[in-house]
Amino acid sequence: MEKVYRLDGLDCANCAAKIERSVQQIKGVENAQVDFMSTKLTIQAPEKEIARVCEEAKEVVNKLEPDVEVNSVQTEKVEESSKGKIIQICMAILALGVLVIVKPTMPWEFIAYLILYLWIGYDVLKTAITNIFHGEIFDENFLMAVATIGAIAIGEYPEAVAVMLFYQVGEFFQDYAVAKSRKSISSLLAIRPDSANLIQNGEVRKVAPETIRVGDQILVKPGEKVPLDGIVIEGRSMLDTSALTGESVPRSINAGEQILSGFINQSGQLTVEVTTTFGESTVSKILDLVENASSKKAPAENFITSFARYYTPIVVGLAVLLAIVPPLVMGEPFYGWVYRALTFLVISCPCALVISVPLSFFGGIGGASKAGILIKGSNYIETLANVETLVFDKTGTLTKGVFEVQEVETTIDQKDFLRYVASAEQSSSHPIAQSIVKYVDQPLSPVSKLEEIAGFGISVEIEGHHFLVGNEKLLAKYDIPFQAVNEIGTIVYVAMDGKYVGHLLIADELKDNVTEALSEVKSFGVKRTVMLTGDNRMIADAIGKKVGIDQVYSELLPEDKVNHLEAELSDEQKTAFVGDGMNDAPVLARADIGIAMGGLGSDAAIEAADVVIMDDQPAKIPVAIQIARKTMGIVKQNIVFAIGVKVIVLLLGALGFATMYAAVFADVGVTVIAVLNAMRCLRVK
């Protein structure tokens, strides 16, 4: 059983890691995870144990972080204003400036600096002491407390106060940057509908979307969000689909067309028949994907968490040795070496890494969501960035999956020709027949003596004329001379009263910008593209050649697709599969990374995929790869920058060249810069 809580007031990534480790150690916990970016604590435990485990988890959080409130995910908490913090910092800076200028004599100097130090650093000292009693020693509060108290002990009063003050300023900007990033992500989730207009007995009632059932009718007024998926049964309008698809241009919708929750109705009033419950609607699935995406950690995140866990105690040990060993060995005064050790301690805090790396991944997921691409976890970003082989399904992925009349050739009046053919096909449920009927916009004629000839076509009488409608084998069977058409698609041949009178070309149309998208992914370093399809070889080969696919496999069953995909998989190269249908679900799950077309794709495909493209356009695939690579680039920049600066300043501190001000920059300054860099991931371009 799973329980999810929100940790209000959690603003420290290192603290989040401590809470996660401690909750995982509670007896009966199967799994526990703290997502710093969404401030969620997820606990999994047996149903009989879950109540006890959750209570113990709340106690653990209260012990480790007394200022953090554990609330249910439904509880809303209003954020406190930061004005008080700004006023405190400004007054402290002013007071410090006055003390530096006035230079009071002892003991007033010590008393004045001590009062100012306790006022500005009270929360840090309190947290450090509380954590020590709970067995959590090596965090940034402990390091800052020891360093500044040590500075006071050796008589560096102004420096102790200034370091604590700069630390608080840095923490304020760090919290502001993280909150701004969280707010950017939260804005993506504003598509959640608050209510729905239910039509019952001719009246319209405003109700919660969760209460509406499949088959109910709802009214969507201009300016409202569409609360549930459905079919428009009355009305026409323009829709803002940008929240789901990333497409800024509004699209029109008419009666009979599908409408998805999360769209915004811009103009006309629509009556919609609901086809899914709220829990299964598109908007609910998107909210769930975005809110939980950062819980699936990338290898880089796991590395940083482990690194920080061992790095800090090691540096603290080195600081102790630095304070004691050189003076004892070289017979020098302890003052200078203790100062170096205190500087060493301030530098060692791993906050820049612990915050900026998951924040970068979270920003990448948010930026992708803005573009209509849902990435289900940061681990998939890392895989997507390294894709070198792209495998595609054809129908519904590269093509629209809708058969349409592409060409009409006839020796008789075209209007009559189309009416005859559509009349002959009107009783058939075959997609080819339906595409012809849909194409002909005129009244159809009654038919008689209809005979289906399996594998060939149909024989029928219309308005006193005998028609044969079918493939070339049908005309050959009746010895009717004709010229075979060599075009890509399905050719429907027509004979009237024993004479060939024309043909129709029915084909599945390519999606927009497919060729350009494949060319672009190759420019990004994708080495190989493959198409797997159940369609016939001639059509598959022609489409593959037209769009620039390297290798085409056709006439495949679903299990054949899995076998061919496994042949493409290798330890050296990451392989992505792009598909949309139910039969693609096994292949999507088997690939290193599965990419599903989410607008009209099957639920099974969307569920099995790791990345979902909401507008079904292959042109978004290079965008997804570009976002993943940009995100990984920023992650690597932050890791190199944070570790690099810390190592340099640690060495300078050990050698006596770095002051505590440089140490504060190496800690808080580097963190703020890394967080601001991570926020670039939110921008798609």
Side-chain angles (χ1 to χ4, degrees):
M1 190 174 179
E2 183 176 281
K3 283 277 188 180
V4 181
Y5 295 96
R6 200 176 65 248
L7 304 180
D8 290 316
L10 181 66
D11 55 8
C12 164
N14 204 30
C15 308
K18 285 191 298 185
I19 291 171
E20 181 175 285
R21 288 197 301 272
S22 299
V23 174
Q24 284 173 347
Q25 292 168 5
I26 295 173
K27 186 179 179 182
V29 171
E30 295 172 346
N31 186 38
Q33 196 164 51
V34 175
D35 183 351
F36 172 65
M37 291 314 306
S38 61
T39 66
K40 281 185 180 179
L41 166 62
T42 305
I43 302 171
Q44 291 177 344
E47 191 171 353
K48 293 180 181 178
E49 301 276 339
I50 193 72
R52 175 190 60 79
V53 164
C54 289
E55 286 305 312
E56 288 190 33
K58 290 177 183 177
E59 292 174 10
V60 165
V61 175
N62 188 50
K63 284 180 181 178
L64 295 176
E65 297 295 324
D67 296 331
V68 172
E69 293 182 21
V70 183
N71 293 314
S72 67
V73 289
Q74 289 80 19
T75 307
E76 290 297 325
K77 180 178 182 291
V78 179
E79 291 293 322
E80 296 179 3
S81 171
S82 57
K83 287 183 180 178
K85 190 72 173 178
I86 296 172
I87 292 170
Q88 183 191 26
I89 288 171
C90 291
M91 290 179 66
I93 291 172
L94 183 64
L96 179 61
V98 170
L99 287 175
V100 170
I101 294 169
V102 173
K103 295 180 180 177
T105 57
M106 290 294 286
W108 299 112
E109 180 186 20
F110 172 74
I111 293 171
Y113 276 113
L114 182 62
I115 291 171
L116 183 56
Y117 171 79
L118 292 173
W119 182 53
I120 196 69
Y122 169 76
D123 56 338
V124 174
L125 297 173
K126 178 188 171 186
T127 305
I129 293 167
T130 304
N131 287 350
I132 289 170
F133 282 108
H134 294 142
E136 292 288 341
I137 300 174
F138 300 114
D139 65 357
E140 67 276 13
N141 297 290
F142 170 80
L143 298 174
M144 197 54 58
V146 170
T148 50
I149 290 171
I152 291 173
I154 60 176
E156 296 289 345
Y157 309 137
E159 190 159 352
V161 173
V163 166
M164 184 63 79
L165 180 57
F166 293 156
Y167 174 76
Q168 293 283 30
V169 170
E171 286 288 296
F172 173 79
F173 282 114
Q174 174 186 300
D175 293 347
Y176 173 79
V178 172
K180 191 172 186 299
S181 182
R182 281 179 178 158
K183 189 176 180 181
S184 298
I185 297 296
S186 298
S187 67
L188 298 170
L189 307 181
I191 57 175
R192 187 190 299 274
D194 302 316
S195 61
N197 302 312
L198 177 64
I199 302 173
Q200 267 187 341
N201 302 322
E203 295 183 355
V204 179
R205 291 190 303 118
K206 188 166 280 192
V207 299
E210 294 88 345
T211 63
I212 292 179
R213 295 171 297 184
V214 174
D216 286 347
Q217 291 186 5
I218 58 173
L219 190 69
V220 185
K221 300 175 183 177
E224 289 185 340
K225 297 169 191 166
V226 179
L228 297 131
D229 298 352
I231 301 294
V232 176
I233 58 175
E234 188 179 324
R236 56 185 302 175
S237 182
M238 297 297 290
L239 299 175
D240 177 357
T241 68
S242 58
L244 267 66
T245 66
E247 180 57 57
S248 58
V249 179
R251 63 172 249 206
S252 63
I253 193 163
N254 299 292
E257 295 181 345
Q258 183 184 33
I259 192 168
L260 300 179
S261 52
F263 290 170
I264 297 174
N265 183 21
Q266 290 190 324
S267 51
Q269 188 165 275
L270 300 173
T271 302
V272 177
E273 183 175 316
V274 175
T275 56
T276 62
T277 59
F278 181 73
E280 293 298 315
S281 65
T282 302
V283 70
S284 291
K285 289 178 180 177
I286 289 172
L287 291 170
D288 182 63
L289 288 175
V290 176
E291 288 177 331
N292 297 308
S294 58
S295 64
K296 295 172 181 175
K297 295 181 180 178
E301 283 186 89
N302 291 324
F303 161 74
I304 290 303
T305 303
S306 301
F307 173 83
R309 188 174 179 182
Y310 297 107
Y311 157 83
T312 309
I314 290 171
V315 175
V316 170
L318 291 174
V320 173
L321 293 174
L322 188 64
I324 298 171
V325 175
L328 292 177
V329 172
M330 293 184 283
E332 295 183 1
F334 276 91
Y335 175 88
W337 290 100
V338 168
Y339 183 85
R340 293 187 193 186
L342 295 173
T343 304
F344 207 75
L345 279 179
V346 175
I347 301 165
S348 69
C349 183
C351 282
L353 287 169
V354 175
I355 291 177
S356 65
V357 172
L359 182 59
S360 300
F361 283 113
F362 197 66
I365 291 167
S369 298
K370 286 182 178 179
I373 302 161
L374 298 182
I375 301 174
K376 294 184 180 180
S378 53
N379 51 334
Y380 304 124
I381 287 185
E382 193 158 344
T383 306
L384 186 60
N386 296 317
V387 163
E388 293 186 339
T389 302
L390 265 176
V391 183
F392 294 89
D393 170 50
K394 182 183 76 68
T395 306
T397 301
L398 296 175
T399 65
K400 294 180 179 178
V402 179
F403 289 101
E404 292 182 343
V405 176
Q406 305 288 340
E407 182 182 294
V408 179
E409 292 284 345
T410 180
T411 58
I412 64 174
D413 180 77
Q414 189 177 88
K415 194 172 182 181
D416 288 338
F417 175 76
L418 288 171
R419 178 167 54 82
Y420 290 142
V421 178
S423 299
E425 299 281 17
Q426 63 184 312
S427 61
S428 174
S429 60
H430 193 282
I432 299 293
Q434 289 300 305
S435 68
I436 296 171
V437 174
K438 186 178 178 182
Y439 182 75
V440 177
D441 186 22
Q442 56 180 304
L444 302 182
S445 304
V447 301
S448 61
K449 298 183 180 179
L450 175 63
E451 179 189 359
E452 277 203 38
I453 306 168
F456 292 84
I458 57 175
S459 170
V460 64
E461 285 197 5
I462 306 171
E463 298 177 0
H465 299 286
H466 176 251
F467 286 91
L468 294 170
V469 181
N471 56 30
E472 56 186 83
K473 292 188 291 183
L474 178 65
L475 270 62
K477 178 181 174 70
Y478 284 85
D479 297 322
I480 296 173
F482 69 99
Q483 184 67 44
V485 179
N486 188 21
E487 294 282 351
I488 301 304
T490 301
I491 311 298
V492 178
Y493 295 94
V494 182
M496 175 179 173
D497 296 328
K499 282 187 174 182
Y500 172 72
V501 292
H503 70 269
L504 297 92
L505 171 64
I506 315 293
D508 186 4
E509 195 176 350
L510 278 172
K511 288 184 178 178
D512 297 334
N513 305 315
V514 171
T515 306
E516 292 83 351
L518 288 171
S519 176
E520 196 172 352
V521 296
K522 287 186 176 180
S523 71
F524 290 161
V526 172
K527 296 176 181 177
R528 178 173 160 81
T529 54
V530 180
M531 185 167 77
L532 306 178
T533 178
D535 210 340
N536 76 64
R537 181 166 298 171
M538 189 173 72
I539 293 175
D541 288 345
I543 288 177
K545 185 176 181 181
K546 187 173 182 179
V547 301
I549 295 282
D550 297 324
Q551 181 70 54
V552 176
Y553 298 100
S554 54
E555 301 177 5
L556 302 176
L557 297 172
E559 56 267 30
D560 297 328
K561 288 187 177 183
V562 175
N563 294 334
H564 279 286
L565 177 76
E566 288 179 342
E568 297 295 334
L569 295 174
S570 71
D571 295 332
E572 293 78 26
Q573 294 187 2
K574 295 297 181 186
T575 299
F577 178 81
V578 189
D580 74 307
M582 185 176 292
N583 63 341
D584 292 328
V587 207
L588 286 163
R590 181 68 186 86
D592 291 320
I593 187 160
I595 303 174
M597 297 294 166
L600 299 175
S602 73
D603 288 346
I606 294 169
E607 193 70 28
D610 310 309
V611 177
V612 181
I613 295 175
M614 291 311 301
D615 64 357
D616 285 349
Q617 292 304 315
K620 288 290 176 67
I621 295 170
V623 176
I625 294 174
Q626 187 179 24
I627 290 170
R629 292 189 176 177
K630 176 184 175 182
T631 301
M632 289 308 302
I634 290 173
V635 167
K636 289 170 184 175
Q637 289 168 15
N638 280 341
I639 290 174
V640 171
F641 173 68
I643 293 179
V645 171
K646 280 188 179 291
V647 168
I648 291 169
V649 182
L650 279 170
L651 290 172
L652 292 174
L655 295 171
F657 295 113
T659 64
M660 246 186 228
Y661 300 106
V664 170
F665 170 76
D667 174 23
V668 182
V670 169
T671 301
V672 172
I673 292 170
V675 166
L676 292 173
N677 190 41
M679 289 173 66
R680 288 171 47 223
C681 293
L682 281 165
R683 295 198 298 271
V684 177
K685 295 288 186 182

